[in-house]
Amino acid sequence: MAKWDLFGRLWYLNRDTAGVQGDWNIGHNEGDKHHLAYLRSLHKDRRHEESGVDMPLADLKVVVVDLETTGFYPDHGDAIISIGAVAMNGHQLLPGESFYTLVNPGRSIPPHVSTLTGITDEMVATAPDLLLAMSQFFRFVGNRPLVAHHSRHEREFFRASLWKTSRRPLTHRMLDTMLLIRLLRNPIGNGSLDALCALHDIPISRRHHAYCDAVAAGTLWGKYLLKAQAAGYSNLRQVYEALR
């Protein structure tokens, strides 16, 4: 089951304090500085270009993630409102290694997003702010690559969020479920999660819930990981070379 990590509200990092890197620690309490230091350390331990590419697919350890957000454009004020994730070892989901948190976006949630996700302004009022949520999430991830369905959305929001909170880039490898799907078959329509899960009889227990969608995407990833191995692909490097 998802781990519901709801904490007391922290001071929300605003744009006025984010402009000058030399003043980045001003106004942060000691807890914030601890999380900030952790996020700043992430890039020091990563080698993005080579992370996991030669590891056998059968042993590939990843974290499948899904985000719910206020919209699609982080550079225009949209923000994360929940993060859901589940760890995988090869094709197997590890439900005991899961993550879920609401995130206080520091802005109101549009009504249509609340209707879609079930997340309201009241629900996020006492949720972790972005700095704490990013720190908690990446501690859970560790050095494992990330996987998402149509990963551009997650990639853009993680990039924007890490830069906003710590002035650091996203250095974790971000894989897309469509990587293996395009390798092995022509996607259905736009390759939506709903269509692909329906094709493979994968239930989505609650659509547009970040954790439930992450579990569905992980199950889909696992099925195509097995298909890739059966087709003779043994690691990610071979997959990348075949798609060039």
Side-chain angles (χ1 to χ4, degrees):
M1 296 294 293
K3 296 179 181 177
W4 296 77
D5 300 324
L6 299 180
F7 296 88
R9 185 171 186 168
L10 299 180
W11 171 81
Y12 186 77
L13 187 64
N14 62 55
R15 293 179 183 273
D16 292 337
T17 61
V20 182
Q21 186 167 350
D23 295 332
W24 195 238
N25 288 326
I26 295 176
H28 286 69
N29 61 37
E30 288 306 313
D32 288 341
K33 290 179 181 178
H34 174 71
H35 296 299
L36 177 60
Y38 176 74
L39 292 179
R40 284 179 165 176
S41 73
L42 288 176
H43 78 292
K44 298 177 182 178
D45 300 324
R46 300 292 303 170
R47 293 294 181 268
H48 178 78
E49 294 78 10
E50 297 300 325
S51 176
V53 293
D54 293 313
M55 180 178 290
L57 295 180
D59 301 322
L60 186 62
K61 295 177 175 62
V62 302
V63 170
V64 184
V65 62
D66 184 82
L67 301 178
E68 298 301 333
T69 60
T70 61
F72 297 105
Y73 306 106
D75 293 336
H76 292 85
D78 285 320
I80 297 170
I81 57 175
S82 68
I83 306 171
V86 63
M88 296 187 69
N89 188 351
H91 72 281
Q92 295 183 322
L93 280 84
L94 305 175
E97 289 190 48
S98 61
F99 179 93
Y100 181 78
T101 187
L102 294 172
V103 183
N104 186 332
R107 53 157 293 178
S108 61
I109 300 174
H112 71 278
V113 173
S114 289
T115 300
L116 185 69
T117 64
I119 300 173
T120 65
D121 289 334
E122 292 74 21
M123 292 170 65
V124 299
T126 56
D129 67 8
L130 185 62
L131 175 61
L132 177 55
M134 287 291 98
S135 176
Q136 291 173 334
F137 175 69
F138 281 103
R139 287 178 190 277
F140 169 75
V141 173
N143 288 325
R144 292 173 291 194
L146 299 171
V147 174
H149 188 68
H150 289 308
S151 62
R152 180 177 177 180
H153 182 253
E154 281 72 20
R155 181 183 292 108
E156 289 185 351
F157 273 90
F158 279 136
R159 281 176 174 169
S161 297
L162 285 170
W163 186 252
K164 181 178 182 180
T165 55
S166 61
R167 289 297 190 264
R168 288 297 181 266
L170 174 65
T171 53
H172 281 69
R173 180 177 293 277
M174 175 70 80
L175 303 170
D176 198 313
T177 53
M178 297 302 293
L179 179 75
L180 298 181
I181 294 168
R182 291 192 178 100
L183 177 71
L184 299 166
R185 66 173 298 129
N186 292 324
I188 299 172
N190 64 357
S192 72
L193 185 63
D194 300 271
L196 288 163
C197 285
L199 176 67
H200 294 286
D201 297 318
I202 299 171
I204 307 177
S205 57
R206 184 178 166 188
R207 190 69 170 97
H208 299 296
H209 183 285
Y211 176 74
C212 298
D213 284 357
V215 169
T219 304
L220 188 66
W221 171 262
K223 285 183 178 293
Y224 277 90
L225 202 72
L226 288 175
K227 290 176 183 288
Q229 293 175 70
Y233 298 96
S234 61
N235 56 46
L236 285 176
R237 188 180 299 279
Q238 292 177 353
V239 172
Y240 289 144
E241 289 175 350
L243 289 171
R244 284 179 181 173

